[in-house]
Amino acid sequence: MASIHFISGLPRSGSTLLAALLRQNPRFQAGMSGPLAGLFGALLSEMSARNEFSVFIDDAKRERILHGLFDNFYADSTAEVIFDTNRAWCAWMPAIAKLFPEAKVIACVRELPWVIDSIERLVQRNVFSPSSIFNYSSGGTVYTRANGVAAADGMVGAPYDALKQACYGAQRDRLLLVQYETLTTDPAKTMHAIYAFIGEPVFEHDFDHVDYDVTEFDERAGTPGLHTVRSTVKADRRPSLLPPDLFNRFVNDAFWRDPKNVPEGLQVI
């Protein structure tokens, strides 16, 4: 099987853009969030003691079955290096280390007020198309939506907690935090850091012609633009849609920006 690495981190923080850039390299395969993490979690659950037949499954079998999931899912891939994307991978760093000792995890991060703002901007842009993010509800306000996604089981809160677990966990040496702000303002520096991190020869990417279209998927999810990637990598300066009190609620949550909060061994670009 090809070498495998993982893209994880926070939503609305550049993971689809990063995948679109990585796939420019003909040796690489990368894409938007896929189903593999969900299948991985389902298998773990079904092989646990909740299943009365789990007495026939020891850890060695579990490991072979989970490894086989990856082998079979990517059996038709011709890529030498595969990046699987899902926000859940940060929560499974110990399992990743056990299954794939050479694998690295790239976690895309962004200041949380702007993550919340980006989600709200999508909602307000698609005012006549209720989003799957909020179970297609047509009601609510910016406050209820922010509270929902920031909750412990929410679209932002759950990956944020998983990210912190990974950053302070025993496997943080295999984790690289890629800030959205760095990726969009200095993509060349970011990509060089990623290649050094995964130990691959540098490839010269075209940051002015980025091509990745998943419009059909976003429309089915009732959230057009959810994974839209612009053709040119650049920072987008804009005022926030969030009321000041709501914006300020999340303004100190980017722990990776404070050197005192970055544990030894954790790399941030």
Side-chain angles (χ1 to χ4, degrees), residues 10-11 15 27 43 48-49 73 79-80 82 91 101 109 127 130 143-145 161 169 173 198-199 208 257 261 263 269:
L10 303 177
S15 63
R27 297 180 53 243
L43 272 174
S48 72
F73 189 85
E80 297 176 37
I82 293 169
V109 297
V127 65
Y143 289 93
T144 57
R145 288 188 288 271
D161 288 347
D173 60 325
I198 63 176
D208 294 318
R257 296 183 68 85
N261 290 326
I269 181 68

Side-chain angles (χ1 to χ4, degrees), residues 153-204:
D153 59 350
M155 175 183 177
V156 179
Y160 179 74
D161 288 347
L163 173 71
K164 291 188 78 171
Q165 173 182 292
C167 288
Y168 293 98
Q171 296 80 29
R172 62 179 177 268
D173 60 325
R174 61 176 65 233
L175 181 67
L176 172 67
L177 268 57
V178 172
Q179 299 179 85
Y180 180 83
E181 297 80 7
T182 310
L183 176 60
T184 54
T185 58
D186 197 344
K189 172 186 175 182
T190 303
M191 299 307 291
H192 277 75
I194 289 172
Y195 277 87
F197 179 63
I198 63 176
E200 293 289 339
V202 173
F203 178 86
E204 293 305 317

